[in-house]
Amino acid sequence: MNFFYISPLILQKIIWIQTRIILSFFTNFKVEGLENLKGIEGNAIFASNHSSELDPILLPASLPFWSHFSPIFYASLSKSRYVNSGWRQYFYGGTFFKLWGAHPIYTGLKDYEKSLVNHTRLLMENKNLFVFPEGRMTLDGNIQPARGGIAYLAEHTDRPIVPIAIFGVYNMSNKDFFFRKRHIIVRFGKPIYKKELREHVARTLEIGGNVYKEEAQYVMEKIKELLEVK
């Protein structure tokens, strides 16, 4: 058994109770839409907007303690991408990330199969994956165009994508947090299956368009719809 498959379960369970207590006290933390997960058999790809470094912690904290979607694994950048990022270079992309469940994307290859080999393997081994379709954290709080990787994974592993909207964490300061000025909401949408992605592309893809990017953008539209629900 691969230790890096076991460690995310251990770490995510250890901090689950503390995380829920802290988030509930300081941010009035709420989770909505968990009923949308009930019909999913097996593992899934979770897709969210990315507005804070807290986002990777919020998903496992949002799931029930005994959820069969636990542990959560992640798609992250490789350690080399953080060498000029200050204190982050000591934690991001290396062993610490992998212990938590993050496995690197191999960027610059212009080949989804090679770039996402780690994540395809995780999904085929029935692990649950958390992906940010935008590829990076937003700089202005707005939804960014999606990259095609998440659609490639859904197509080639036949796993559903669960869209998620995360509210209340963009540009949050320590003062906002400790003075309880923010309300954080994690909202789960209905799963998107491969058939739905293909039907969307069949209706909308222009000649010469990128199928995976078009499908990924459809996922981002579903996330945007969740963000707009009052």
Side-chain angles (χ1 to χ4, degrees):
M1 176 68 72
N2 188 330
F3 177 72
F4 290 110
Y5 283 6
I6 301 173
S7 59
L9 177 63
I10 296 171
L11 292 177
Q12 290 173 29
K13 293 300 185 188
I14 286 174
I15 73 165
W16 189 92
I17 294 176
Q18 300 95 310
T19 303
R20 288 294 288 256
I21 292 173
I22 291 170
L23 288 172
S24 297
F25 180 78
F26 286 107
T27 70
N28 191 28
F29 181 58
K30 292 183 179 179
V31 180
E32 300 175 355
L34 283 174
E35 65 275 8
N36 290 318
L37 305 182
K38 291 181 179 179
I40 301 175
E41 298 180 1
N43 59 324
I45 305 167
F46 294 89
S48 169
N49 58 308
H50 193 12
S51 56
S52 168
E53 291 176 314
L54 283 178
D55 294 337
I57 296 174
L58 293 174
L59 175 56
S62 301
L63 296 169
F65 186 82
W66 296 115
S67 172
H68 78 276
F69 295 110
S70 181
I72 295 294
F73 290 81
Y74 303 85
S76 71
L77 297 177
S78 63
K79 187 174 179 60
S80 63
R81 299 296 296 272
Y82 297 103
V83 292
N84 296 314
S85 58
W87 61 267
R88 292 173 180 81
Q89 65 184 299
Y90 301 108
F91 299 98
Y92 285 25
T95 302
F96 176 79
F97 253 33
K98 202 167 184 181
L99 287 169
W100 181 254
H103 293 253
I105 299 169
Y106 300 115
T107 57
L109 301 178
K110 301 185 183 301
D111 184 322
Y112 289 121
E113 182 179 2
K114 294 177 181 178
S115 296
L116 299 170
V117 61
N118 290 327
H119 313 94
T120 301
R121 184 185 69 250
L122 285 166
L123 288 168
M124 295 305 294
E125 293 177 355
N126 298 316
K127 309 302 180 185
N128 298 286
L129 187 65
F130 190 17
V131 176
F132 299 114
E134 298 158 285
R136 63 185 178 91
M137 194 161 60
T138 181
L139 299 177
D140 58 9
N142 295 316
I143 290 287
Q144 305 169 97
R147 303 185 183 187
I150 189 170
Y152 170 85
L153 290 171
E155 287 277 2
H156 285 262
T157 66
D158 202 19
R159 267 54 174 185
I161 298 172
V162 179
I164 303 170
I166 298 178
F167 304 78
V169 290
Y170 171 67
N171 210 24
M172 181 171 65
S173 66
N174 290 334
K175 183 178 179 180
D176 291 335
F177 183 81
F178 288 110
F179 283 84
R180 306 173 72 180
K181 294 184 176 182
R182 295 294 186 97
H183 290 182
I184 296 177
I185 300 174
V186 177
R187 180 177 292 150
F188 292 85
K190 295 180 180 180
I192 304 168
Y193 292 89
K194 184 164 67 174
K195 180 181 177 182
E196 182 178 347
L197 290 176
R198 289 182 173 178
E199 288 177 348
H200 168 74
V201 168
R203 293 192 306 268
T204 63
L205 187 66
E206 296 180 1
I207 295 175
N210 185 304
V211 171
Y212 294 135
K213 285 189 177 181
E214 186 69 23
E215 290 180 343
Q217 192 58 40
Y218 178 72
V219 175
M220 287 308 305
E221 290 300 320
K222 292 299 180 181
I223 293 171
K224 187 176 180 181
E225 289 175 10
L226 292 171
L227 287 169
E228 293 172 347
V229 172
K230 302 299 182 183

